[in-house]
Amino acid sequence: MGEDRFLTRPLSVVLDFARFGAALLVAVGHAVQLGIYRGPFPFGLRMQHYCVIVFFVLSGLVISTSVLGGRSSLPRYFVARVSRIVPVAIPALLFAVLAAYVLAGPMRVYIDNSPDDPLEVATRLLPPMAFVSAWPGMPAPVWNPPYWSLCYEVWFYAIFALAIFLRGWARVATVAVACFTAGGAILLLMPVWLMGVALTHVPVARRLPPVAAPVVLAFCLALALALFEVDRAVLNPLLKAWWPGKTQWSQWAFADFAMGLIMVLALIALRPMAERFAQPVMRLKDMAGLLAGFSFTLYLFHWPLLQLARSHGLVAGRSPLAFVALLGLVVAVCALISLLTERQSPRLRRWMEARMFAPKGGRAQGRGA
């Protein structure tokens, strides 16, 4: 079943599990951060942040793979990205506002990144809807700090598309304008996203001997644990001393580069392992697709749901069992919400494609038939 491209079918199934796992770990970490669970927990705030770096590398890999082969175009790329993002992003922003100002319970919960005056909420909605809330000085969305990574990723998508699909001076000019508009803070993390892109273009990434894969994967785990020891003490102060402007959500950029490289090595190791166990892996395809199918919704909806639970006094305290139950409830609610968000992406895509790519005169012929 070996394929020439990096992202093989078995590896794609494994990465579907990874996407869901990363989204779940982000939710776990944020639940601890918000004080919903106060029991034993081996990780700090860095776990959920590094899971976002995992998302960035996977995103670069998947997006680059999708445009290989010359069958894509800038308009079709635009449709694919819009139909994937909009059905989840816009409802997530609106739901967070509804949760903060209407559904919230009697318990006082800090309304993070939002004004206490509901009349000012428009100022917190428009920038995120335009994916510019990660810019320095821009207001962040109501009850949804994790939204920052989507703002970054949209700019990565745009810059990548202009570089791939345009030619000549049009490419140079538009990429330059897009980079200037995105700003230095967002560009600081774009190399992490491009690490995933590089996997699709570097042949040596597909040549790791299967016998070496488990060793490399264990080495990646050791490196990740070591990174937790040196990021705050060494890498983060180094960036602060070197970078002259505001870093926004890129304040851990050097540590993020390291995590990105660790993730790339892990993917290189996972590829031959997935091929080696292709048959049992492919039998899990449906389960992996089901879980990955609401991972985006889980990522963008878990924070307002956690805040909503806090406002009604639903916290786990120091009980791991209560924490698992509460987290399971959040995951289940996100799975239900995804029926109205992610599951509508194919429908929106077909609708957009029918209007953008329909043959001329097609509608008239259809009426005549």
Side-chain angles (χ1 to χ4, degrees):
M1 190 178 288
E3 300 179 34
D4 187 50
R5 64 179 187 173
F6 184 87
L7 187 58
T8 62
R9 284 170 289 178
L11 180 59
S12 181
V13 173
V14 172
L15 297 190
D16 277 347
F17 281 115
R19 283 168 52 201
F20 173 76
L24 181 61
L25 287 177
V26 170
V28 169
H30 284 155
V32 174
Q33 178 182 340
L34 290 172
I36 288 178
Y37 173 66
R38 300 184 182 275
F41 187 70
F43 303 104
L45 301 181
R46 290 167 290 175
M47 181 190 71
Q48 54 262 36
H49 179 79
Y50 286 141
C51 284
V52 174
I53 301 306
V54 169
F55 280 133
F56 281 169
V57 176
L58 293 180
S59 173
L61 170 61
V62 171
I63 295 301
S64 181
T65 301
S66 71
V67 302
L68 289 177
R71 294 186 296 272
S72 187
S73 64
L74 187 56
R76 292 190 180 279
Y77 179 93
F78 171 80
V79 168
R81 293 301 90 215
V82 169
S83 61
R84 168 66 174 162
I85 294 169
V86 169
V88 185
I90 303 304
L93 292 172
L94 296 177
F95 174 77
V97 172
L98 179 68
Y101 293 109
V102 179
L103 302 179
M107 303 292 291
R108 173 63 178 171
V109 176
Y110 290 112
I111 304 179
D112 42 290
N113 300 318
S114 65
D116 286 331
D117 183 4
L119 296 179
E120 298 179 27
V121 72
T123 65
R124 306 288 168 164
L125 268 178
L126 298 180
M129 286 184 176
F131 303 104
V132 297
S133 59
W135 287 355
M138 281 290 181
V142 175
W143 265 16
N144 213 332
Y147 195 85
W148 74 268
S149 66
L150 181 60
C151 295
Y152 271 55
E153 208 166 349
V154 165
W155 285 98
F156 299 162
Y157 293 157
I159 294 170
F160 174 77
L162 295 173
I164 290 294
F165 294 112
L166 299 184
R167 297 291 182 269
W169 283 107
R171 170 196 284 173
V172 174
T174 55
V175 169
V177 170
C179 288
F180 178 80
T181 306
I186 291 177
L187 293 182
L188 257 180
L189 284 190
M190 190 163 186
V192 174
W193 192 84
L194 291 175
M195 291 177 190
V197 175
L199 284 173
T200 65
H201 297 281
V202 180
V204 71
R206 304 190 292 269
R207 296 174 185 166
L208 182 70
V211 67
V215 177
V216 173
L217 195 59
F219 180 60
C220 290
L221 178 60
L223 286 177
L225 294 175
L227 181 60
F228 275 74
E229 299 298 325
V230 301
D231 53 2
R232 284 184 176 176
V234 179
L235 297 176
N236 295 345
L238 182 62
L239 176 68
K240 189 174 181 179
W242 171 77
W243 186 254
K246 293 183 178 180
T247 52
Q248 292 297 96
W249 294 95
S250 305
Q251 57 196 8
W252 291 6
F254 284 170
D256 294 341
F257 297 161
M259 179 56 73
L261 290 173
I262 292 171
M263 185 59 190
V264 165
L265 282 176
L267 290 172
I268 291 173
L270 282 171
R271 185 179 187 273
M273 294 177 67
E275 290 294 305
R276 172 65 178 82
F277 299 101
Q279 288 188 352
V281 166
M282 293 306 295
R283 284 198 289 267
L284 299 173
K285 178 182 177 182
D286 291 341
M287 180 186 298
L290 179 66
L291 294 175
F294 71 93
S295 60
F296 190 18
T297 300
L298 176 59
Y299 180 78
L300 283 187
F301 278 81
H302 75 271
W303 186 287
L305 285 171
L306 290 172
Q307 287 285 59
L308 195 58
R310 288 179 67 209
S311 73
H312 287 279
L314 297 176
V315 295
R318 298 186 61 84
S319 170
L321 291 179
F323 181 45
V324 169
L326 183 56
L327 194 66
L329 177 61
V330 170
V331 171
V333 171
C334 287
L336 291 175
I337 293 174
S338 72
L339 299 176
L340 303 176
T341 56
E342 277 174 275
R343 296 298 178 90
Q344 300 306 312
S345 291
R347 180 176 297 180
L348 177 60
R349 183 169 183 168
R350 290 192 295 269
W351 182 85
M352 294 180 68
E353 287 177 341
R355 280 148 183 79
M356 292 182 65
F357 309 124
K360 292 183 179 179
R363 290 185 180 181
Q365 292 175 4
R367 286 193 297 268

